[in-house]
Amino acid sequence: MAQKTKYTMVKEEITEWITSGKVKPGEKIHSENELMKLFGVSRHTIRQAVGDLVHEGWLYREQGAGTFCSRGNNPSPGSASSFPAIKNKGNIGVITTYISDYIFPSIIKGIESYLTTKGYSLTFACTDNDVEKEKQCLQTMLSSNIHGLIVEPTKSSNYNPNINYYLELEQNQIPYLMINQFYSQLSPPHIMIDDEHGGYIATKHLIELGHKKIIGLFKTDDLQGVNRMKGFIRAYKEFNLSFFPDMVITYSTEDQDSTPIEQLEKLLSKEDKPTAIVCYNDQLAIKVINMSRNIGASIPEDLSLVGYDDSFLTETSDVKLTSVAHPKTKMGIEAAKWIVNAVEKKGNASPSIVYEPELIIRESTRAIK
């Protein structure tokens, strides 16, 4: 039998703490230094193991506070699957654009950790950011006799052809809450981050480091990307920087694996090339890091880079990524609290929440010479 790697041993031991109840949801785990001493391994091994457990939804990070347990011994969520709760009070639907990728496990675990303790079962589904799949998810939810719905909008910057299903929810007095964005045609209650300000502070950071030629890469079929781009442009205006051709590269969900990187690579091959980049999210920023290696550019020596979401990816690269923080698990918990209050009609409807973004500065940006 092959010997387990130190990384695997660390990951399995922390998981055992959680499933056995030694560490309970909401409790803080040991610090990096404490884990290094406890397991006798390097900081890199601890970061890799903890980063994976955050990505998988077992743990979540709070900036300045540490790393916390986000769940007990429940299985990981899957598309259109349910989690029974003790003394079931009802069924809550959760529709997100994705479930098992990127920041979504942390959001979903925040939702699950609260709702299951309150006696609600959950039905999960994902749209893959496709409006036809969203239609199918909504039809399934409506036929499942859900008592409330938490939903992340699909392609929120475009007109949504599924508005009638949300109106049906309203007619049936089924409360619903939108997260990360909302459909402007409905103006529903929502919990989201101020993405325009997030794009602004990311760009402002680079400008204050002396960068004057900054490229913005934004996905524009979601309002998150449109608003981050607005913040990017606002920073340019406020600091009186000169605009230039190709300073903004936009793309859609269908083109995200190729278009932004291909266009950026062309720009970086020119003599008067940009010195910094603001990315729509951390996933794209990691692609930029990999591309820069292929063309012989170093980050941050040749190119400063800012991501968005402060995901587990910020710590996985050789260059630790500066990124705008997303509340992830906190958003999930507060969304769950909102929907429980709405279902149980505890007083007046809770107001929408808009989080103030924070820039987490790491190694991928530096002052220009």
Side-chain angles (χ1 to χ4, degrees):
M1 183 180 292
Q3 187 174 4
K4 290 182 181 178
T5 63
K6 292 180 179 179
Y7 151 77
T8 302
M9 291 173 63
V10 171
K11 188 175 174 183
E12 288 183 353
E13 181 64 23
I14 295 175
T15 304
E16 171 62 24
W17 294 347
I18 297 169
T19 56
S20 66
K22 183 177 179 182
V23 180
K24 297 177 175 59
E27 289 186 349
K28 186 177 179 180
I29 68 165
H30 297 295
S31 67
E32 268 189 11
N33 288 335
E34 289 169 337
L35 290 171
M36 287 166 60
K37 292 177 182 176
L38 183 64
F39 292 109
V41 298
S42 68
R43 187 178 303 276
H44 174 74
T45 298
I46 295 299
R47 284 184 175 176
Q48 185 182 14
V50 171
D52 272 12
L53 290 171
V54 169
H55 175 51
E56 293 169 10
W58 291 94
L59 303 173
Y60 68 95
R61 294 189 179 102
E62 287 288 347
Q63 184 63 29
T67 304
F68 298 82
C69 172
S70 59
R71 61 164 165 163
N73 58 1
N74 291 319
S76 298
S79 179
S81 60
S82 298
F83 291 88
I86 299 171
K87 297 180 181 178
N88 191 358
K89 292 182 180 178
N91 184 26
I92 303 297
V94 180
I95 299 175
T96 57
T97 50
Y98 304 98
I99 280 186
S100 59
D101 296 330
Y102 195 44
I103 64 172
F104 296 97
S106 295
I107 295 173
I108 290 168
K109 282 302 164 187
I111 294 171
E112 179 196 359
S113 65
Y114 184 83
L115 287 182
T116 53
T117 62
K118 294 298 179 180
Y120 287 88
S121 61
L122 285 76
T123 298
F124 290 105
C126 71
T127 67
D128 292 324
N129 215 30
D130 179 278
V131 292
E132 183 59 34
K133 289 185 179 179
E134 183 194 44
K135 176 183 177 181
Q136 295 168 7
C137 291
L138 288 166
Q139 289 173 336
T140 300
M141 293 296 177
L142 283 164
S143 64
S144 299
N145 296 318
I146 57 170
H147 294 81
L149 178 66
I150 299 170
V151 58
E152 183 189 33
T154 293
K155 294 194 174 179
S156 52
S157 67
N158 303 333
Y159 169 73
N160 187 276
N162 299 319
I163 294 299
N164 59 300
Y165 293 104
Y166 294 101
L167 296 176
E168 185 176 343
L169 287 167
E170 293 179 14
Q171 289 173 346
N172 294 336
Q173 297 186 322
I174 299 172
Y176 66 93
L177 172 75
M178 292 193 173
I179 59 172
N180 286 326
Q181 256 309 327
F182 62 91
Y183 294 129
S184 58
Q185 303 96 326
L186 293 168
S187 299
H190 53 270
I191 298 180
M192 55 183 278
I193 190 169
D194 185 345
D195 283 302
E196 181 177 339
H197 190 61
Y200 172 81
I201 62 174
T203 312
K204 178 175 178 282
H205 170 64
L206 294 170
I207 294 171
E208 290 176 339
L209 290 174
H211 296 275
K212 295 183 178 179
K213 192 163 188 178
I214 307 167
I215 293 287
L217 307 179
F218 301 105
K219 186 158 82 78
T220 52
D221 54 358
D222 289 320
L223 271 174
Q224 292 97 309
V226 173
N227 288 332
R228 292 168 195 178
M229 179 171 63
K230 287 167 71 174
F232 172 83
I233 294 171
R234 177 160 65 90
Y236 253 82
K237 288 180 177 179
E238 287 190 12
F239 284 87
N240 295 314
L241 292 188
S242 298
F243 296 98
F244 59 93
D246 302 316
M247 62 179 281
V248 174
I249 295 174
T250 63
Y251 62 98
S252 65
T253 299
E254 290 75 19
D255 302 326
Q256 62 187 348
D257 291 331
S258 57
T259 298
I261 295 300
E262 290 173 359
Q263 292 189 29
L264 178 62
E265 191 168 354
K266 289 177 183 177
L267 288 178
L268 293 176
S269 67
K270 296 179 179 179
E271 186 174 341
D272 187 22
K273 56 191 175 184
T275 61
I277 301 169
V278 175
C279 290
Y280 167 71
N281 64 11
D282 295 340
Q283 284 181 321
L284 182 57
I286 294 299
K287 292 178 184 178
V288 172
I289 290 174
N290 293 334
M291 180 271 291
S292 67
R293 290 198 192 101
N294 295 336
I295 64 173
S298 297
I299 294 174
E301 288 76 17
D302 302 316
L303 201 61
S304 284
L305 183 65
V306 179
Y308 205 108
D309 291 329
D310 193 35
S311 69
F312 73 102
L313 294 173
T314 59
E315 299 283 351
T316 59
S317 173
D318 294 340
V319 180
K320 308 310 174 193
L321 184 63
T322 295
S323 183
V324 178
H326 185 292
K328 296 182 279 293
T329 303
K330 181 180 180 182
M331 175 183 281
I333 292 171
E334 293 195 340
K337 288 180 179 179
W338 190 99
I339 206 72
V340 166
N341 285 336
V343 169
E344 297 180 357
K345 295 182 174 59
K346 294 181 178 177
N348 296 326
S350 301
S352 296
I353 299 171
V354 179
Y355 298 111
E356 186 78 5
E358 176 188 4
L359 185 68
I360 311 301
I361 300 173
R362 297 187 178 89
E363 303 167 1
S364 65
T365 57
R366 74 165 193 166
I368 195 168
K369 294 180 180 178

